[in-house]
């Protein structure tokens, strides 16, 4: 298929083409090019959406980095006689093209901060502060490494940390830590540009994680996530930090609970904070624990921000990976299941979340604590 660059696209009349995002929902949730329609590549060839687009309009297909869209066969019947193009560098190219000058950055930073203080205060700052207080995530004298991947969650988390420190109710230090696991230069430049635009003074260090997992066929995302965690702990401790903060949110928590039951045959949750088992004196905290993903997306879109969710070598083949190593397909299925249940029970999300606070051990057949398995028969006769 012919390619068109984003600069060439901008020169075309807006009414002369239609942008078609062929990525799955796991990626489109993190942002789309404005005005684009989403037709997942597996549905493309049988889609009625294509037939509804006037034939005189150019069809501009894009994926994450331009590889999958470039390989679309434009001789197929559904595309026969149509003027079709692949957007070079895909969504990533669009995001890179949006890098701002210094004036734009200052305006963007002020708008993003003001929106946290005003428009999204109840949705974002209040649950962030509540989680920090309820779970004692920030304590006097802490030095917290705020781990930034470059995505929407970690970038917002950094801004919320800046905002809560401005209130100065507790004295603590922050280091905004970015690990470069082997990004190409363009993706690293995008993370640096977004951090600069939002006024986040990042500290970057390199690792070779991408190279290490590049040849792994089974569960590369899981291995990558585990290695990332270890590198972040190690660097944070080297910098004098006693905690690392990760950007998991409320939706991650309830999805993890259900995924554990449905796919792992176990009941567990994503804890708001954990002691490190390999790095003495270090803790992991999740200050977005009570923040809803929809509100994070609303803040991102309101401020016209664009982030990369995944910049690894597998981006277009495994769609996207999550911080805990799960791929988007499993998590997206769980997200859809929760949405379906919510249609008949509007409280289902809160009930899933609260279920981890209301575990009744008298009705549990077996459970494990500190690696030791306990069975209800152990003291069944004694209870009689």
């Amino acid at each position: 298929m012919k390619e068109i660059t984003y600069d060439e696209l901008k020169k075309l009349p807006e009414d002369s083409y239609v942008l078609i995002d062929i990525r799955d929902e796991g990626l489109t949730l993190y942002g789309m090019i404005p005005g684009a329609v989403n037709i997942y590549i597996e549905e493309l060839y049988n889609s009625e959406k294509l037939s509804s687009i006037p034939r005189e309009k150019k069809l501009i297909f894009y994926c994450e980095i331009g590889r999958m869209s470039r390989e679309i066969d434009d001789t197929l019947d559904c595309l026969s006689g149509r003027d079709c193009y692949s957007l070079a560098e895909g969504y990533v190219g669009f995001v890179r093209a949006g890098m701002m000058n210094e004036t734009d950055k200052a305006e963007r930073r002020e708008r993003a901060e003001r929106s946290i203080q005003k428009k999204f205060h109840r949705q974002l700052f209040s649950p962030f502060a509540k989680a920090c207080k309820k779970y004692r995530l920030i304590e006097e004298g802490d030095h917290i490494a705020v781990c930034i991947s470059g995505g929407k969650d970690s970038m917002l988390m950094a801004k919320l940390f800046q905002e809560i420190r401005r209130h100065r109710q507790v004295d603590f230090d922050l280091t905004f830590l970015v690990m470069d696991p082997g990004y190409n230069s363009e993706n690293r430049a995008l993370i640096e540009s977004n951090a600069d635009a939002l006024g986040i003074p990042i500290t970057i260090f390199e690792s070779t994680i991408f190279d290490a997992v590049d040849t792994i066929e089974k569960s590369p995302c899981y291995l990558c996530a585990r290695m990332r965690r270890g590198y972040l702990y190690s660097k944070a401790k080297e910098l004098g930090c006693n905690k690392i903060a990760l950007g998991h949110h409320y939706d991650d928590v309830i999805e993890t609970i259900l995924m554990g039951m449905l796919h792992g045959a176990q009941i567990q949750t994503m804890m708001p904070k954990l002691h490190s088992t390999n790095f003495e004196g270090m803790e992991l905290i999740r200050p977005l624990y009570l923040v809803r993903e929809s509100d994070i997306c609303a803040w991102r879109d309101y401020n016209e921000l664009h982030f990369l969710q995944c910049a690894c070598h597998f981006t277009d083949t495994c769609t996207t990976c999550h911080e805990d190593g799960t791929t988007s397909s499993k998590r997206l299925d769980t997200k859809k299941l929760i949405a379906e249940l919510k249609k008949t029970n509007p409280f289902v999300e809160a009930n899933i979340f609260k279920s981890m606070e209301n575990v009744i051990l008298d009705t549990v057949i077996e459970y494990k604590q500190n690696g030791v398995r306990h069975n209800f028969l152990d003291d069944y006769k004694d209870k009689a």
Side-chain angles (χ1 to χ4, degrees), residues 177-213:
L177 193 58
V178 175
M179 181 184 62
D180 181 346
Y183 295 133
N184 61 41
S185 58
E186 293 85 359
N187 285 340
R188 173 161 168 165
L190 176 62
I191 294 174
E192 292 173 335
S193 176
N194 275 333
D196 186 32
L198 289 171
I200 303 170
I202 57 176
T203 297
I204 302 180
F205 72 101
E206 284 86 19
S207 73
T208 57
I209 291 177
F210 282 175
D211 288 338
V213 302

Side-chain angles (χ1 to χ4, degrees), residues 71-113:
E71 294 175 354
I72 294 174
D73 185 355
D74 53 9
T75 65
L76 294 171
D77 290 342
C78 61
L79 301 177
S80 179
R82 312 232 25 179
D83 198 7
C84 302
Y85 297 85
S86 167
L87 182 61
E89 297 186 338
Y91 181 72
V92 171
F94 160 73
V95 174
R96 289 175 188 155
M99 291 185 178
M100 299 156 281
N101 59 41
E102 292 304 316
T103 301
D104 291 336
K105 288 179 180 179
E107 293 175 354
R108 184 67 55 87
R109 182 185 313 153
E110 182 181 352
R111 178 182 171 89
E113 292 174 352

Side-chain angles (χ1 to χ4, degrees), residues 17-34:
Y17 65 88
V18 175
L19 280 163
I20 301 175
D21 190 323
I22 63 171
R23 301 173 299 162
D24 75 2
E25 292 178 70
L27 282 169
T28 58
L29 284 172
Y30 292 94
M32 293 172 59
I33 298 177

